[in-house]
Every structure is written in structure tokens, then in C-alpha cells.
């Protein structure tokens, strides 16, 4: 893992904390892991959640167009939802929506 991967993961965490200081706690977030670059992403962040609705993992990938793709995976490691084209100020709402906290 290189420093760029860690920087991107740290930036995503800071963006989440900036928009909602209690969001990570509310989602029961733990086991944070930075993601390395590949063909579809510059880097990203993955963490386990134990929320009211979604239990499993949330993966936030920074794509090459400077937007995020948010992937929700259940405990069986099956992808249950993927949302593309997410901007940093939308991360809280996207994850809260899956958690059932906001109406569509």
C-alpha cells in the first residue's frame, strides 16, 4: 500500500466527518481499510457497518472522474447496491439513504 492510497482514504474519512461528525458512529463503522489504485479507481476506503438497515461493508471508491462510487456489500460479501457519480457532499445522504434514515 502506498501513501497515496492512505491519503485518499484519510481524505474520504475527513469529508464524512466534516459533513456529519456523528455519522460513522451512527453507522457502527469499524475495520477501516484504504484501497489501492486499479483500472476503475484512484483509491478509496472500505469499512464495516452495523447499521439499522445495512449490515456488512461500505466501499467508497474515488473514480478517475473525481466522483465516488459507493458500494454496499452484505455479510455474505454480495453486492446489494452500487451508486455511481457521488460527490463528497452527497456521501452522508447516500449512506443514510441505504440505512433508511432519509426518504427518497
Amino acid at each position: 500500500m502506498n501513501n497515496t492510497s492512505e491519503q485518499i482514504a484519510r481524505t474520504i474519512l475527513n469529508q464524512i466527518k466534516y459533513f456529519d461528525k456523528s455519522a460513522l458512529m451512527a453507522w457502527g463503522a469499524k475495520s477501516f481499510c484504504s484501497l489501492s489504485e486499479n483500472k476503475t479507481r484512484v483509491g478509496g476506503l472500505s469499512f464495516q457497518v452495523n447499521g439499522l438497515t445495512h449490515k456488512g461493508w461500505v466501499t467508497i471508491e474515488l473514480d478517475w472522474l473525481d466522483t465516488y462510487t459507493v458500494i454496499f456489500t452484505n455479510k455474505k460479501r454480495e453486492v446489494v447496491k452500487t451508486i455511481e457519480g457521488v460527490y463528497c457532499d452527497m456521501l452522508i445522504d447516500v449512506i443514510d439513504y441505504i440505512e433508511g434514515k432519509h426518504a427518497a
Side-chain angles (χ1 to χ4, degrees):
M1 177 171 27
N2 63 32
N3 285 340
T4 305
S5 298
E6 290 178 23
Q7 276 182 317
I8 291 169
R10 198 170 292 118
T11 298
I12 294 169
L13 268 177
N14 288 338
Q15 288 170 339
I16 290 170
K17 290 174 186 173
Y18 174 80
F19 288 106
D20 186 343
K21 286 180 173 45
S22 63
L24 293 166
M25 190 175 64
W27 301 328
K30 64 180 184 180
S31 304
F32 297 91
C33 179
S34 62
L35 304 173
S36 58
E37 179 182 313
N38 67 17
K39 289 179 182 172
T40 60
R41 68 179 184 230
V42 182
L45 174 71
S46 183
F47 52 92
Q48 193 171 0
V49 293
N50 191 20
L52 297 172
T53 311
H54 180 68
K55 295 176 186 346
W57 289 264
V58 174
T59 302
I60 303 169
E61 297 184 341
L62 177 62
D63 65 34
W64 294 98
L65 299 173
D66 213 26
T67 60
Y68 293 117
T69 297
V70 183
I71 304 160
F72 299 88
T73 311
N74 66 20
K75 289 189 173 192
K76 295 178 184 173
R77 295 286 187 178
E78 299 163 332
V79 173
V80 292
K81 189 151 187 79
T82 300
I83 302 171
E84 298 177 346
V86 176
Y87 292 96
C88 68
D89 61 348
M90 298 163 58
L91 284 171
I92 302 294
D93 287 340
V94 165
I95 298 170
D96 274 352
Y97 173 70
I98 296 302
E99 277 302 309
K101 292 183 181 180
H102 292 283

